[in-house]
Amino acid sequence: MMGNDRANAPANVEQLAQRYRSLVDYSPDGVVVHERGTVVYANPAMLRLLAAGNPDEVIGQPVTNFVEPHSVEPMLDRIRRLTIAGTASDPSEMTLVRCDGGSIEVETVSVLTAWHEHLAYQVVVHDLTQQRRAEAAQRRAEQFFASVVSQLEEGVVVIDREGRIESANPAARRIFGYEADDLVGTHIYDLPLCLLDANAQPMPTSWYPVIRTLATGETVTRFVFGLDRPDGLRRWLSANSRLLNPSDPDSPAVSSFNDITEFRASRRQLEYQATHDPLTGLANRALVLSRLAAALGTTENLPVSSVLFIDLDGFKTINDTLGHAIGDTVLQIVAQRLQRGLRSDDIVGRIGGDEFLVLLSGRTLGDDLDSLIARLRQAMAEPIIARGHRIQVDASIGVTHLHAGDNRTPEAVLHDADLAMYRAKPPNHQSGTLSRRSDSTHAS
């Protein structure tokens, strides 16, 4: 058997060599062998890389004929370091000169190997054309993306896993009140910015949208918060926060935000106009009844103890004799006096014409209530000077009390207070007859 093995050895070696030649010939990468600086072999892929019409254009030529001048010295330096057969150089990029005069960027690995009983350099050459195209396309996409982001009115900030700002577009710097590069590299906790919740109170850092995203991977959308800037201005923002690459556990987060300061102010102005009397600035009928409904819905610790219905006596005469402009001035002054005479927790509103409604907070009963009503009467009775006229205003005040478990509707409470007010009116100012009596009302 051993004799047969020795006899078959040359055939086995020849088969192995044939397989190697087939691999090299059909390799998609170029393979070239140069010995003493001369090309002695090039596979078909290498001939295609060099745009050679036939092997004679490459084989027998100095290898440096196919290397851009700036790549020659680094190539020679790499192969000089290969002193032992079988050793290989590190992958290196270089530029080759093609037979048609063009050039091509490649990555090469050189191996010192035996070639027909001599040492030669076998070089595997990988075409970088597609890679370079992909890289160029990526650069163009990145430049396009950067250009788009830089033009956005929306602020965009990228924050790494440690909480440091990697990039911030011009809109973000403008909204934050920062100069060109002041934000990049700064930890978000080190920024001299005070973040506020929706109620304008300092916000815990754990509530920051981007902190939540970095900690949990959660996407946060339409999160409204306030921002006190270094220059003292306050801005209101609506923010979104998400991981830049959700599939990557080490992904940074991207936070985008719109400045909604003007929108918020406009909305608050509209809300104010919808719930306040335009003449006096007091709460209007809808807002007062809404607060009353909320109080009636409470079973314990009633936030409102009593409701006062106030009507100005003889106000129609003021309007008729002095004009509506003076009448409006009287209503404004009466509203101011009511506000000054009440506590900060009490609510006063104008529900129409010369009628006002007061919701007294807490428990205001007995002597305390009588004293409060007396103060209000005295404040409103002080003469009003309007456009040279001295005007005396008196008021009738009706009271109804709320109690735990009160099942009246806000309108029913208002009606009971209205009845109590009519009982309090002087006879010469009363009109109509009382059609209802409630045990929870009294006149003052």
Side-chain angles (χ1 to χ4, degrees):
M1 294 292 293
M2 293 179 63
N4 290 336
D5 289 343
R6 291 192 187 96
N8 292 332
N12 292 337
V13 170
E14 180 59 31
Q15 289 178 357
L16 185 62
Q18 182 61 40
R19 289 175 185 169
Y20 175 75
R21 282 194 296 271
S22 296
L23 288 173
V24 171
D25 285 344
Y26 292 106
S27 170
D29 285 331
V31 177
V32 63
V33 179
H34 59 92
E35 180 184 354
R36 296 188 182 92
T38 301
V39 177
V40 295
Y41 171 80
N43 74 342
M46 191 68 208
L47 296 177
R48 289 193 298 272
L49 282 176
L50 293 177
N54 59 74
D56 293 339
E57 294 184 55
V58 176
I59 296 173
Q61 300 295 320
V63 68
T64 53
N65 285 0
F66 305 102
V67 181
E68 280 278 6
H70 69 269
S71 296
V72 170
E73 189 57 37
M75 178 194 73
L76 296 177
D77 184 59
R78 285 193 300 274
I79 63 177
R80 276 195 293 264
R81 298 177 187 176
L82 304 179
T83 57
I84 301 174
T87 56
S89 67
D90 293 331
S92 302
E93 295 182 6
M94 60 188 301
T95 304
L96 299 183
V97 177
R98 295 158 54 102
C99 295
D100 60 5
S103 63
I104 184 170
E105 292 186 63
V106 297
E107 182 181 68
T108 66
V109 175
S110 299
V111 181
L112 184 61
T113 186
W115 180 265
H116 298 297
E117 300 181 356
H118 296 283
L119 288 178
Y121 299 99
Q122 178 176 289
V123 186
V124 179
V125 183
H126 177 67
D127 185 359
L128 294 178
T129 302
Q130 293 300 324
Q131 180 179 329
R132 290 291 184 263
R133 287 174 180 168
E135 291 171 350
Q138 182 175 351
R139 284 195 298 272
R140 287 194 299 271
E142 290 173 350
Q143 291 169 357
F144 177 76
F145 175 77
S147 177
V148 170
V149 171
S150 68
Q151 299 299 317
L152 291 176
E153 289 298 317
E154 182 180 35
V156 179
V157 175
V158 177
I159 299 172
D160 68 18
R161 303 298 302 183
E162 303 302 320
R164 297 189 182 280
I165 296 175
E166 290 185 348
S167 64
N169 73 340
R173 296 192 292 266
R174 184 173 63 252
I175 291 171
F176 287 168
Y178 272 78
E179 296 299 329
D181 299 319
D182 289 350
L183 288 174
V184 177
T186 306
H187 197 286
I188 56 176
Y189 291 161
D190 294 334
L191 295 172
L193 303 171
C194 179
L195 270 61
L196 311 170
D197 63 22
N199 296 315
Q201 298 300 311
M203 185 165 59
T205 54
S206 60
W207 288 15
Y208 290 11
V210 72
I211 294 297
R212 286 166 52 187
T213 295
L214 288 171
T216 67
E218 171 190 3
T219 295
V220 181
T221 59
R222 298 180 182 177
F223 185 91
V224 176
F225 66 95
L227 182 75
D228 283 345
R229 304 189 336 177
D231 58 9
L233 290 179
R234 174 171 295 179
R235 312 303 295 175
W236 287 95
L237 310 179
S238 175
N240 302 311
S241 179
R242 56 178 52 84
L243 292 179
L244 195 60
N245 183 4
S247 62
D248 180 4
D250 296 323
S251 171
V254 57
S255 179
S256 58
F257 39 87
N258 289 307
D259 189 333
I260 60 169
T261 307
E262 284 72 23
F263 170 78
R264 179 184 171 94
S266 298
R267 188 182 67 179
R268 291 173 71 90
Q269 180 64 23
L270 290 174
E271 290 173 350
Y272 180 88
Q273 292 173 353
T275 56
H276 288 76
D277 173 48
L279 177 64
T280 63
L282 298 179
N284 63 13
R285 182 187 185 94
L287 179 57
V288 173
L289 291 182
S290 173
R291 298 290 176 83
L292 182 55
L296 289 168
T298 305
T299 56
E300 297 180 0
N301 299 322
L302 284 171
V304 175
S305 61
S306 304
V307 175
L308 278 58
F309 195 111
I310 303 173
D311 180 79
L312 304 185
D313 297 331
F315 181 74
K316 183 176 183 301
T317 302
I318 296 174
N319 268 340
D320 291 344
T321 59
L322 301 179
H324 288 280
I326 291 181
D328 288 347
T329 300
V330 169
L331 290 175
Q332 291 170 335
I333 294 174
V334 167
Q336 294 168 5
R337 292 178 178 180
L338 284 174
Q339 286 179 305
R340 288 198 300 266
L342 294 168
R343 299 160 301 183
S344 60
D345 292 339
D346 298 330
I347 299 170
V348 56
R350 181 187 177 209
I351 59 174
D354 60 342
E355 296 175 336
F356 300 85
L357 200 69
V358 176
L359 309 184
L360 297 179
S361 65
R363 296 186 60 81
T364 309
L365 302 174
D367 294 340
D368 290 340
L369 178 59
D370 292 339
S371 297
L372 173 62
I373 291 174
R375 289 200 307 273
L376 293 179
R377 284 182 178 282
Q378 182 178 0
M380 287 186 289
E382 294 178 3
I384 295 173
I385 307 300
R387 299 189 182 184
H389 297 278
R390 182 184 178 90
I391 304 168
Q392 186 78 33
V393 175
D394 293 315
S396 298
I397 302 177
V399 183
T400 185
H401 303 295
L402 304 188
H403 54 81
D406 201 321
N407 59 5
R408 287 178 294 172
T409 65
E411 288 76 10
V413 173
L414 178 62
H415 181 66
D416 289 343
D418 188 15
L419 290 177
M421 181 274 297
Y422 269 101
R423 295 190 192 102
K425 266 192 179 297
N428 60 322
H429 289 293
Q430 289 183 352
S431 61
T433 59
L434 298 182
S435 60
R436 175 175 174 180
R437 183 178 181 84
S438 171
D439 294 336
S440 61
T441 64
H442 75 266
S444 298

XYZ file of all heavy atoms in Angstrom, residues 5 9 23 39 42 66 68 70 75 86 105 163 192 279 311 322 386 403-404 408-409:
157
model
N 0.988 4.442 -2.596
C 0.843 5.846 -2.194
C 1.945 6.698 -2.807
O 1.707 7.814 -3.287
C 0.870 5.980 -0.670
C -0.407 5.427 -0.039
O -1.399 5.252 -0.785
O -0.405 5.171 1.177
N 1.567 9.811 -5.539
C 1.844 11.145 -5.018
C 1.964 12.194 -6.107
O 1.348 13.261 -6.034
C 3.092 11.129 -4.148
N -9.234 27.598 -9.474
C -9.732 28.596 -8.527
C -9.229 29.987 -8.890
O -9.975 30.974 -8.876
C -9.324 28.241 -7.095
C -10.047 27.052 -6.440
C -9.411 26.718 -5.097
C -11.526 27.380 -6.242
N 5.919 41.163 -14.317
C 4.691 40.375 -14.228
C 4.899 39.064 -14.967
O 5.283 39.045 -16.157
C 3.495 41.137 -14.841
C 2.245 40.268 -14.792
C 3.268 42.450 -14.103
N -1.064 36.658 -14.818
C -2.257 37.460 -14.496
C -3.482 36.628 -14.865
O -3.573 36.122 -16.003
C -2.265 38.776 -15.253
N 1.889 49.440 -14.088
C 0.451 49.382 -13.821
C 0.086 49.999 -12.462
O -1.023 49.781 -11.969
C -0.028 47.932 -13.885
C 0.320 47.252 -15.191
C 1.385 46.372 -15.268
C -0.390 47.537 -16.339
C 1.718 45.761 -16.469
C -0.069 46.927 -17.548
C 0.992 46.039 -17.612
N -0.026 53.575 -10.191
C 0.075 55.034 -10.171
C 1.349 55.437 -9.437
O 1.731 54.815 -8.439
C -1.133 55.640 -9.440
C -2.388 55.726 -10.291
C -2.379 56.951 -11.188
O -1.352 57.654 -11.215
O -3.392 57.182 -11.871
N 2.159 57.645 -7.294
C 2.091 57.902 -5.851
C 1.887 56.620 -5.038
O 2.056 56.617 -3.834
C 0.953 58.890 -5.545
C -0.414 58.332 -5.771
N -1.067 58.462 -6.982
C -1.259 57.644 -4.953
C -2.258 57.881 -6.896
N -2.391 57.374 -5.691
N 3.948 50.517 -2.198
C 3.876 49.112 -2.598
C 5.224 48.426 -2.394
O 5.324 47.321 -1.834
C 3.447 49.003 -4.053
C 3.390 47.570 -4.559
S 3.292 47.461 -6.364
C 4.964 47.933 -6.834
N 5.359 32.544 2.329
C 4.058 32.312 2.976
C 3.553 33.493 3.768
O 2.379 33.514 4.164
N -9.228 52.097 -8.525
C -8.830 51.942 -7.124
C -9.089 50.502 -6.701
O -10.161 49.938 -6.982
C -9.611 52.905 -6.232
C -9.244 54.362 -6.461
C -9.922 55.279 -5.457
O -9.635 55.139 -4.252
O -10.748 56.086 -5.892
N -25.316 60.882 26.914
C -26.048 62.129 27.122
C -25.360 63.348 26.566
O -25.742 64.476 26.887
N -26.946 75.416 30.481
C -27.621 76.357 31.388
C -29.045 76.647 30.938
O -29.429 77.790 30.712
C -26.728 77.592 31.319
C -26.148 77.555 29.951
C -25.960 76.097 29.619
N -65.415 92.815 28.752
C -65.488 94.166 29.314
C -64.743 94.269 30.633
O -63.959 95.194 30.845
C -66.953 94.585 29.494
C -67.181 95.959 30.140
C -66.624 97.067 29.240
C -68.665 96.186 30.434
N -76.575 91.885 42.056
C -77.205 92.672 41.000
C -77.131 94.147 41.395
O -77.394 94.513 42.557
C -78.658 92.241 40.815
C -79.353 93.023 39.720
O -79.133 92.694 38.540
O -80.101 93.956 40.051
N -77.049 108.422 31.352
C -75.654 108.836 31.153
C -75.001 108.173 29.945
O -73.914 108.590 29.524
C -74.828 108.534 32.407
C -75.311 109.218 33.693
C -74.421 108.823 34.868
C -75.316 110.739 33.524
N -67.018 109.119 36.968
C -66.844 108.713 35.579
C -67.197 109.876 34.658
O -68.345 110.320 34.617
C -67.728 107.503 35.264
N -73.851 72.114 50.176
C -73.631 71.153 51.254
C -73.212 69.827 50.648
O -73.423 69.559 49.451
C -74.898 70.998 52.105
C -76.114 70.661 51.294
N -76.409 69.390 50.862
C -77.109 71.461 50.818
C -77.529 69.395 50.164
N -77.981 70.649 50.115
N -72.573 68.976 51.460
C -72.133 67.669 50.986
C -73.327 66.887 50.439
O -74.396 66.861 51.050
C -71.461 66.895 52.120
N -78.191 69.439 43.426
C -78.660 70.457 42.492
C -77.712 70.581 41.307
O -76.513 70.311 41.412
C -78.766 71.813 43.198
C -79.917 71.934 44.167
C -79.906 73.293 44.848
N -78.743 73.465 45.721
C -78.404 74.603 46.307
N -79.124 75.702 46.074
N -77.352 74.672 47.094
N -78.246 71.004 40.207
C -77.412 71.323 39.055
C -76.859 72.740 39.234
O -77.391 73.533 40.035
C -78.222 71.272 37.749
O -79.219 72.301 37.788
C -78.877 69.906 37.581
